Amino acid sequence: MQFLANLLQSISAYALPTACIACQQFQGHFICNECLDQLKASGLSQYECCNQCGTLLQFEEIKARHCEQCRKNPPFFDQTFCLARYDDILQESLHLLKYQKRIAFARGLAQAWNQVQIQYMQPIHADYLLPVPLSTQKLLSRGFNQSWEIARKLHCHESTQKLMCALKRHHHPKQQAGTPLSLRQDALHRMFYIEKEYIDRMANKTVIVFDDVMTSGATLNEIARTLKNYGVKRVINWVLLRATRLSK
């Protein structure tokens, strides 16, 4: 049955017209050239963003290439690459993927990343790519992990192995969105762990962590802290949409 489902999806992708995930215009690709050009024009280049956390830099921070927050309180992760701002043209398509189960949109979002980010990033020789996990309860409720559905279609260096289940998350009964940063950090402490069978692989490795949205950075920072406690040498964030920096 899965074979037939994959076959039908492939036939639909190549034989039937589709709508651009951003502008909804019918054409032959998951995201149209006009929307790709818009993403390239308004995208988050490394020059405009903090090299470590990916937030847009203030004018006085550009020379240092780091935001004030990262200089004062360096996060555990080493670098962040982001495709677009959270309130940009991909926000609605991401919401449709996450909350309306439009799984096909994952391919379009990955395609946007693959075609736009190539102009900003040099090839990264990472050992592993890990999606930000959902807890077992959240995964059962949603039915899929949107970060993995996108990450599995991203172009990586040939040496990078994608691991769907290596990084795990304990369940937290309360939603973290909208809560103050300090409370998020407390709630996320010791929330993540590595499955036993993967622990020995992590020593002295470079790991990419992919997330669909980065707001305060608390989740990715706790993941990076956890990974480095397991011996990971370098942690690089790949983020689809980056929210504007939070007010203090």
Side-chain angles (χ1 to χ4, degrees):
M1 292 297 293
Q2 186 61 46
F3 171 77
L4 291 175
N6 292 339
L7 179 62
L8 288 173
Q9 184 176 13
S10 298
I11 293 173
S12 297
Y14 291 100
L16 300 176
T18 187
C20 171
I21 62 170
C23 69
Q24 305 303 314
Q25 296 298 311
F26 281 98
Q27 35 77 59
H29 304 283
F30 286 100
I31 183 165
C32 69
N33 291 331
E34 288 77 9
C35 288
L36 284 172
D37 289 341
Q38 185 174 338
L39 283 171
K40 291 174 183 178
S42 62
L44 300 179
S45 72
Q46 286 304 100
Y47 178 77
E48 297 171 330
C49 297
C50 174
N51 190 53
Q52 194 157 9
C53 77
T55 192
L56 285 170
L57 293 170
Q58 304 293 333
F59 178 78
E60 63 274 11
E61 297 170 335
I62 290 178
K63 185 176 181 180
R65 299 286 299 278
H66 280 70
C67 68
E68 182 182 4
Q69 181 65 27
C70 285
R71 293 199 305 270
K72 289 183 176 179
N73 299 293
F76 288 96
F77 49 76
D78 299 281
Q79 196 170 14
T80 299
F81 293 91
C82 308
L83 176 62
R85 298 170 181 86
Y86 182 70
D87 57 358
D88 212 331
I89 62 173
L90 295 180
Q91 179 183 7
E92 182 178 0
S93 55
L94 179 60
H95 285 182
L96 288 171
L97 167 64
K98 291 174 69 171
Y99 306 120
Q100 300 297 323
K101 304 184 187 300
R102 303 285 289 275
I103 303 296
F105 277 43
R107 180 173 295 183
L109 292 167
Q111 181 180 332
W113 175 281
N114 292 334
Q115 296 194 40
V116 174
Q117 276 299 90
I118 193 171
Q119 67 182 325
Y120 298 135
M121 295 194 310
Q122 296 296 322
I124 297 175
H125 295 210
D127 298 283
Y128 302 111
L129 186 151
L130 312 177
V132 170
L134 301 178
S135 67
T136 301
Q137 292 88 332
K138 187 67 174 287
L139 185 60
L140 289 172
S141 173
R142 180 169 293 170
F144 62 96
N145 179 350
Q146 73 281 351
S147 291
W148 171 245
E149 292 301 322
I150 299 169
R152 62 200 292 259
K153 299 175 179 67
L154 299 181
H155 293 168
C156 300
H157 191 269
E158 60 184 9
S159 65
T160 303
Q161 183 179 359
K162 297 176 182 178
L163 300 178
M164 178 179 66
C165 299
L167 182 63
K168 296 288 190 177
R169 178 176 189 154
H170 296 295
H171 181 63
H172 194 285
K174 295 182 179 180
Q175 291 287 339
Q176 298 303 308
T179 59
L181 177 57
S182 60
L183 294 180
R184 277 197 187 196
Q185 291 170 333
D186 291 341
L188 287 165
H189 187 60
R190 301 188 183 279
M191 183 66 68
F192 300 94
Y193 62 98
I194 295 293
E195 283 279 29
K196 290 182 179 179
E197 64 182 286
Y198 297 102
I199 290 176
D200 291 341
R201 304 190 198 181
M202 296 294 152
N204 298 313
K205 301 300 185 182
T206 295
V207 173
I208 296 170
V209 178
F210 179 81
D211 203 2
D212 59 331
V213 176
M214 182 178 182
T215 50
S216 68
T219 296
L220 289 166
N221 195 45
E222 178 61 18
I223 289 174
R225 186 193 70 80
T226 301
L227 291 174
K228 290 193 171 181
N229 281 346
Y230 282 106
V232 171
K233 178 175 66 176
R234 183 172 173 79
V235 178
I236 301 168
N237 298 325
W238 282 8
V239 178
L240 189 73
L241 303 182
R242 181 65 160 100
T244 56
R245 71 170 71 191
L246 301 176
S247 58
K248 299 179 181 178

